[in-house]
Amino acid sequence: MLRGHDDDVWSAAFSPDGSRIVTASWDKTARIWDAASAKEIAVLRGHVAPVSSAAFSPDGSRIVTSSFDKTARIWDAASAKEIAGLYGHEDAVLSAAFSPDGSRIVTASGDKTARIWDAASAKEIAGLYGHEDAVLPPPSAPTGRASSRRHHWTRPPASGMPRAPRRSRSCAAMTST
């Protein structure tokens, strides 16, 4: 049993090599654990509201967390230091995940958007706008692919958030190229 969080744990994920686990908690932290010994390795502190998800990059060198504080954050998995913040959502960020090659991050939010970010620069690349409700985490796909049908892809708006003419309740993650 992994003991250390002070409140409910919302997500848990293995590192790509299976040696570590990252957990996200209502206690506003994410934690890294040794999978063999169940010992805590590090605590990721910086979010000011509950952490909704945490995931390793495909090479295991970084972690992305999402939070009810309307941000996602990128962390160095070895040092547990924050590398960058992903800012722009107007409501809780409910999930975040790396693309299969680790170059992009997708976030899903209660603000009815999903957004694609460059993992190196932390800049928004594109967004999925026009959902009728909160964008919930997509079902996991072993290939890293999910359907993008019925979504309007657009570049980040200069001001305001444009709405797509089509609406969908489903969420789509990016497809790998």
Side-chain angles (χ1 to χ4, degrees):
M1 182 177 291
L2 305 177
R3 294 188 188 272
H5 283 292
D6 296 327
D7 212 327
D8 294 344
V9 174
W10 279 60
S11 81
F14 278 100
S15 61
D17 66 3
S19 68
R20 295 167 292 163
I21 296 169
V22 64
T23 55
S25 174
W26 196 258
D27 69 6
K28 304 177 190 171
T29 69
R31 294 173 190 251
I32 305 169
W33 309 84
D34 180 85
S37 68
K39 296 218 184 292
E40 185 179 288
I41 297 170
V43 180
L44 307 179
R45 287 187 173 89
H47 286 291
V48 295
V51 180
S52 54
S53 75
F56 281 95
S57 61
D59 66 2
S61 67
R62 294 167 293 163
I63 293 170
V64 64
T65 56
S66 62
S67 173
F68 284 80
D69 66 9
K70 305 179 189 176
T71 71
R73 296 172 192 241
I74 306 168
W75 308 83
D76 181 277
S79 69
K81 302 271 188 229
E82 184 178 335
I83 298 170
L86 306 179
Y87 304 99
H89 281 290
E90 296 175 5
D91 203 338
V93 182
L94 303 172
S95 72
F98 282 93
S99 63
D101 67 1
S103 68
R104 297 169 291 171
I105 293 169
V106 63
T107 55
S109 174
D111 68 6
K112 304 178 187 177
T113 70
R115 299 178 189 214
I116 311 302
W117 310 83
D118 180 85
S121 69
K123 301 286 185 207
E124 185 178 337
I125 299 168
L128 297 170
Y129 301 96
H131 296 84
E132 293 176 345
D133 209 339
V135 182
L136 301 175
S140 169
T143 63
R145 294 176 182 265
S147 171
S148 62
R149 288 174 283 150
R150 299 176 56 208
H151 288 281
H152 176 72
W153 288 81
T154 182
R155 295 203 181 281
S159 64
M161 200 178 313
R163 288 241 179 249
R166 292 179 297 210
R167 305 220 184 261
S168 170
R169 284 188 157 272
S170 64
C171 172
M174 70 200 88
T175 58
S176 61
T177 55

